[in-house]
Amino acid sequence: MTSGFDDMTAGLRPVRGTAGDLLALLTAWDAAADPEPLVIETSGSTGRPKRVVLSRAAMRASVAATHARLGGPGQWVLNLPPTYVAGVQLLFRSVVAGTTPVVSTDLTAALGEMAGERRYVSLVPTQLQRLVVAQELAPLARFDAVLVGGGPLDPAVRAVAEGAGVPVVQTYGMSETCGGCVYDGVPLDGVAVKVDADGQVLLGGPVLFDGYEGDPSRTAEVLQDGWLRTADLGRLDEDGRLRVLGRVDDVVISGGVKVPGSAVARMVERHPAVTAAEVVGVPDEEWGERVVAVVTASGSPDLAGLRDLVTPREWAPREVVIVPAFPVLPNGKVDRVALRRVAADA
């Protein structure tokens, strides 16, 4: 690899630039004889950003497995930030497939620019939920697959979208796995999934990252014996499908009881006035941590009504905070560090 090539692809270590810049860099990176890995800076949704090192072999394995699962290469619409793993992988799939991605937040206009036989788009759950609320699902129904990942997807939102003909594919993965590596609970070809005795999801296979740049101790914490310790809680159903239940750090220990925040949030969302919910723990002298439900709502749901929706009762929130919108990171994920501040300040 020449120094000229090194200079040209410096924008991949870490990944920075516009979609057009990155498409050119990834094209050169894919064609190079033996390129250095690229580096993706994570969003830091739990407060600790990382620099994830991804080899070309891992990225190519992810692309091949994705194409195999979706039914073949296609043309993509990019309406996500291009520097996070979902955007980078979408651009790299386009490079490998020899197609030109359409960069647009207007799906109807984007469809008019697409000439490929197969058409794909990738969304975060918030984007799909907004389209459901706005009743603007018709453009999505014209895609061959609509990948939704980066966070939990409300089953009710999915049901409405699928009822309108949207071919939803719920993905699970992270920067450390080159993006989504489990589709609708089923691992992509070559990807291995297991759940340890503590309920933590472990992932293996050729899509795994090389490590965290400049942080060998942190790498050793999560990469063990060829398995990535995801810090996600999950279970494998009888049919082998993975069900992700929440984050290890979503568990709030209140009065000695382990409260799974994600599970409680889904129960709270059954309230007719609640449009979305997140559950966090804030310091409390009596309980250690106090369970707080932070919600967006169309009305003013009362705490008693929300508590009645939660079982077992000891998981029920002790406080509700109504906000106009959740704080989010540039990639669309909820900023849980900021959310805890909101709950504590309230």
Side-chain angles (χ1 to χ4, degrees):
M1 190 169 52
T2 68
S3 59
F5 179 81
D6 285 338
D7 294 340
M8 182 174 60
T9 59
L12 297 180
R13 300 189 298 273
V15 171
R16 285 181 181 153
T18 66
D21 293 337
L22 293 176
L23 191 63
L25 291 173
L26 290 167
T27 299
W29 187 66
D30 186 53
D34 186 22
E36 292 292 322
L38 58 78
V39 176
I40 292 179
E41 293 179 313
T42 71
S43 59
S45 59
T46 58
R48 297 183 65 195
K50 299 165 286 191
R51 292 166 68 95
V52 179
V53 179
L54 297 174
S55 70
R56 186 177 63 182
M59 289 285 286
R60 283 178 170 176
S62 176
V63 169
T66 296
H67 287 165
R69 182 60 57 85
L70 295 180
Q75 191 174 16
W76 290 82
V77 172
L78 175 65
N79 64 348
L80 296 169
T83 55
Y84 290 114
V85 70
V88 173
Q89 187 59 288
L90 187 156
L91 293 173
F92 193 58
R93 291 178 195 135
S94 302
V95 169
V96 173
T99 60
T100 302
V102 178
V103 182
S104 177
T105 57
D106 185 332
L107 295 178
T108 300
L111 284 162
E113 297 181 40
M114 302 184 82
E117 291 185 5
R118 299 187 65 79
R119 297 176 292 191
Y120 303 125
V121 66
S122 183
L123 307 175
V124 296
T126 301
Q127 289 174 307
L128 181 60
Q129 181 173 7
R130 288 172 179 169
L131 291 170
V132 166
V133 171
Q135 299 182 351
E136 296 177 354
L137 294 172
L140 287 181
R142 295 170 59 189
F143 286 88
D144 292 280
V146 176
L147 275 58
V148 183
L153 174 60
D154 185 342
V157 170
R158 178 172 187 163
V160 172
E162 291 181 329
V166 179
V168 176
V169 178
Q170 186 173 359
T171 69
Y172 168 70
M174 53 216 65
S175 298
E176 291 86 344
T177 60
C178 297
C181 64
V182 178
Y183 285 13
D184 286 329
V186 180
L188 298 181
D189 294 347
V191 175
V193 178
K194 67 180 180 180
V195 177
D196 69 11
D198 296 322
Q200 185 172 176
V201 177
L202 277 61
L203 299 172
V207 299
L208 291 190
F209 75 135
D210 290 351
Y212 298 119
E213 186 179 56
D215 202 341
S217 61
R218 198 173 191 182
T219 300
E221 289 177 7
V222 300
L223 271 182
Q224 298 178 11
D225 300 321
W227 292 92
L228 170 67
R229 302 183 63 79
T230 65
D232 286 320
L233 297 172
R235 71 168 188 267
L236 295 174
D237 288 348
E238 292 182 359
D239 60 1
R241 289 179 182 267
L242 174 67
R243 306 293 177 184
V244 179
L245 305 177
R247 295 281 298 172
V248 170
D249 54 17
D250 279 347
V251 174
V252 180
I253 302 178
S254 183
V257 176
K258 293 183 178 180
V259 180
S262 295
V264 174
R266 301 294 81 77
M267 295 182 217
V268 167
E269 286 176 341
R270 295 202 302 258
H271 192 287
V274 173
T275 54
E278 296 284 344
V279 171
V280 296
V282 300
D284 185 276
E285 291 185 2
E286 179 180 1
W287 298 96
E289 285 186 295
R290 183 170 68 259
V291 180
V292 179
V294 184
V295 306
T296 59
S298 58
S300 300
D302 65 291
L303 178 61
L306 295 181
R307 286 175 57 83
D308 287 342
L309 295 171
V310 178
T311 56
R313 186 69 173 186
E314 56 264 33
W315 290 3
R318 298 184 177 277
E319 185 177 353
V320 59
V321 176
I322 301 174
V323 296
F326 298 136
V328 296
L329 296 156
N331 65 353
K333 291 184 180 180
V334 173
D335 186 339
R336 296 191 65 80
V337 174
L339 198 68
R340 289 188 181 97
R341 284 199 297 266
V342 169
D345 290 345

